[in-house]
Every structure is written in C-alpha cells, then in structure tokens.
C-alpha cells in the first residue's frame, strides 16, 4: 500500500520547524472557533469519559469476574471503532459535521454511563462497543473539519496541536478517573465521568 502511494508535493512556502512555527499555529487557532471546538470536544470526552485505567478494578470489584476478561474490555473498544471504520465511506454525505460531532460525543458519554451501570460482562462490552463507535464517528468528523478549515501551509502545525490533544486527553482522563475512584468508588467515577462528558 505504501509503495502504491503517490508522493505528496510540498507547498510553495515551507517554513523551518521550531518554536516560531508552533506559535504561528497557536495564533492561527486562536481565531478559529470551529477548530477550537473540535479540540475542546475531544478533550472533554477523554478527560471526563475515559475510564480505561479503571477496567481492571471494574472487572474485579464491580463485575466480580476473573481478571482474565479485562482484555475483552479493550477489545470491545477496538471492535466498536473498527465497525464504524468499515462503513465510514458514508460519512462524506453528512453536511452538519459539527452537530454530528457533538451528538457523537454525547453518545460516547451515554455509552460510558451505560458501561458504568452494567451488571454483567456482556452488557459492559456492548456499551463499550457503542461508546467506542461513537468516539470513532466524532474522530472522523473532527479530522474532516480540521483538514477542511485549515489551509495547506498551516496543516502540519494544526495536526501537531491535534496530536498533542489526542496524546494528552487519555492520560488526563485516566488520572481523573483513578483519583475520583480512589475517593468515591469505581462505579461512581465511571458514571459521573460519562455524565460530565454529556453535560
């Protein structure tokens, strides 16, 4: 597949990488509410609604299941994303991408709430698949918005900011979920995170 790809020609003006280009990217982002919204939506979903760090505790303390099934929770996330990716070609027909992104984020939060309330492994896996599928929909449209709104010469800078958001959000979310669970409980941390994401 890589060998069959055509080379992507550089833009006419190619700035050298450095602090000044990072500042330019942030300055460009400052005036773009649409792009800021996509980053904030992703941070919101990951910081409040990502309880991955609690999966082992959820399996043992809430479901009272064998630790051997923890891997199924991670797999359910992957399967939900894969199913959406397989039908993602239909995404091009959606006109109100921002609205769909918001709805998908709400569905992600609702899926996490359902996961938190689950009383059996299969219900938990189903809600994780639905949540992950919603997150994939959100990701598709956030990426489409980023590439559509950003001019070619700024795309690398904005992709860098996007990578920082995607790399930071899950770590902050796991820290938030773990800290809250340590003072309240595993189920409360998961459910309240999903509710906070929706709100």
């Amino acid at each position: 597949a890589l060998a069959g790809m055509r080379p992507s020609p550089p833009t006419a003006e190619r700035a050298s990488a450095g602090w000044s280009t990072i500042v330019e990217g942030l300055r460009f982002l400052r005036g773009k509410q649409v792009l800021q919204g996509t980053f904030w939506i992703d941070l919101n979903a990951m910081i409040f609604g990502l309880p991955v760090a609690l999966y082992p505790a959820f399996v043992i303390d809430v479901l009272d299941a064998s630790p051997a099934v923890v891997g199924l929770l991670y797999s359910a996330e992957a399967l939900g994303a894969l199913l959406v990716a397989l039908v993602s070609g239909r995404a091009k027909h959606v006109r109100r991408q921002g609205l769909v992104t918001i709805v998908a984020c709400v569905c992600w939060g609702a899926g996490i709430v359902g996961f938190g309330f689950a009383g059996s492994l299969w219900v938990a896996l189903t809600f994780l698949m639905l949540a992950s599928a919603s997150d994939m929909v959100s990701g598709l449209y956030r990426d489409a918005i980023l590439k559509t709104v950003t001019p070619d010469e700024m795309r690398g800078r904005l992709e860098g900011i996007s990578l920082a958001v995607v790399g930071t959000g899950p770590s902050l979310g796991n820290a938030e979920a773990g800290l809250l669970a340590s003072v309240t409980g595993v189920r409360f941390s998961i459910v309240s995170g999903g509710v906070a994401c929706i709100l």
Side-chain angles (χ1 to χ4, degrees), residues 8 13 19 21 37 49 51 68 85-86 93 107 112 126 137 146 173:
S8 179
E13 295 180 15
W19 288 109
T21 56
L86 291 175
H93 300 296
C107 291
I112 296 301
T126 300
V137 170
L146 175 68

Side-chain angles (χ1 to χ4, degrees), residues 17-188:
W19 288 109
S20 62
T21 56
I22 295 171
V23 171
E24 284 176 24
L26 293 171
R27 191 175 296 129
F28 174 82
L29 181 61
R30 186 175 53 198
K32 301 292 181 278
Q33 203 170 14
V34 170
L35 290 175
Q36 289 176 23
T38 63
F39 293 141
W40 284 117
I41 285 171
D42 189 37
L43 281 172
N44 165 62
M46 295 301 104
I47 291 173
F48 294 114
L50 188 68
V52 174
L54 300 181
Y55 286 0
F58 183 81
V59 166
I60 295 168
D61 299 341
V62 177
L63 298 181
D64 195 26
S66 165
V69 303
V70 172
L72 293 176
L73 300 183
Y74 297 107
S75 299
E77 275 190 34
L79 182 58
L82 175 63
L83 292 174
V84 169
L86 291 175
V87 296
S88 62
R90 297 205 158 288
K92 64 184 177 185
H93 300 296
V94 172
R95 297 244 182 248
R96 306 211 37 206
Q97 296 176 347
L99 179 62
V100 172
T101 302
I102 293 170
V103 170
C105 185
V106 169
C107 291
W108 158 263
I112 296 301
V113 169
F115 166 68
F117 279 126
S120 72
L121 177 63
W122 298 110
V123 172
L125 292 174
T126 300
F127 275 110
L128 273 183
M129 280 178 47
L130 293 172
S132 180
S134 300
D135 185 48
M136 186 65 169
V137 170
S138 172
L140 283 170
Y141 288 112
R142 282 185 284 106
D143 194 51
I145 291 168
L146 175 68
K147 287 177 172 51
T148 303
V149 175
T150 308
D152 287 347
E153 63 273 12
M154 296 300 292
R155 196 162 288 142
R157 295 170 181 90
L158 270 292
E159 288 288 352
I161 293 171
S162 178
L163 282 173
V165 168
V166 169
T168 305
S171 298
L172 292 173
N174 281 321
E176 181 274 332
L179 287 171
L180 187 58
S182 69
V183 296
T184 60
V186 173
R187 190 185 295 272
F188 181 86

